[in-house]
Amino acid sequence: AFVRGLCSEYTELAPLTLILKQFLVTKGLDDPYRGGLSSYGLVLMIVCVLQRDRLLQKYIAALRTNSGFDTFASTLHPAMRQLLSGEIFGPTNNLGRLLILFLDTFAFRFNP
């Protein structure tokens, strides 16, 4: 019931989960009993990224109305600046953009 509620709130959750679950299968990291990641754990990680992305999009929209986006964007890595500004994928919630944000979050930025 909890995951169904998340799927209805975040329409990108199901396709991202399937893509990333298949990626984990190809790398042999899909079995939690052998050190892999469970589907539930993966869903929670994806929801974390989707929540952060929604907040970031609201923040960027607020900055654009106050003409502060250029100042904020100047502090970012050029690739992340392009990703957030919509130069690469456009402004819509694109699965490719969200996949890159997920991989960036957990491959480069996450530090437990």
Side-chain angles (χ1 to χ4, degrees):
F2 176 66
V3 175
R4 279 194 200 130
L6 290 173
C7 284
S8 65
E9 184 175 347
Y10 300 99
T11 57
E12 308 90 354
L13 180 59
L16 277 174
T17 303
L18 292 174
I19 291 166
L20 288 165
K21 194 65 179 169
Q22 184 58 41
F23 176 75
L24 291 174
V25 168
T26 61
K27 300 297 180 187
L29 297 171
D30 61 322
D31 187 4
Y33 298 107
R34 293 186 290 160
L37 185 60
S38 69
S39 295
Y40 185 71
L42 181 62
V43 164
L44 295 179
M45 291 169 68
I46 294 169
V47 167
C48 174
V49 170
L50 293 174
Q51 287 175 340
R52 288 180 59 220
D53 182 59
R54 278 191 183 174
L55 288 173
L56 188 58
Q57 293 302 323
K58 288 179 184 178
Y59 180 66
I60 289 172
L63 283 175
R64 285 196 174 131
T65 60
N66 298 331
S67 302
F69 180 72
D70 294 331
T71 307
F72 168 70
S74 66
T75 65
L76 299 173
H77 185 275
M80 188 56 77
R81 187 176 329 133
Q82 288 178 326
L83 188 67
L84 293 176
S85 68
E87 294 175 33
I88 296 177
F89 292 114
T92 61
N93 260 355
N94 181 305
L95 288 177
R97 183 181 69 79
L98 294 170
L99 178 63
I100 290 173
L101 282 176
F102 177 88
L103 295 174
D104 177 67
T105 299
F106 290 106
F108 298 115
R109 300 187 190 285
F110 182 71
N111 188 6

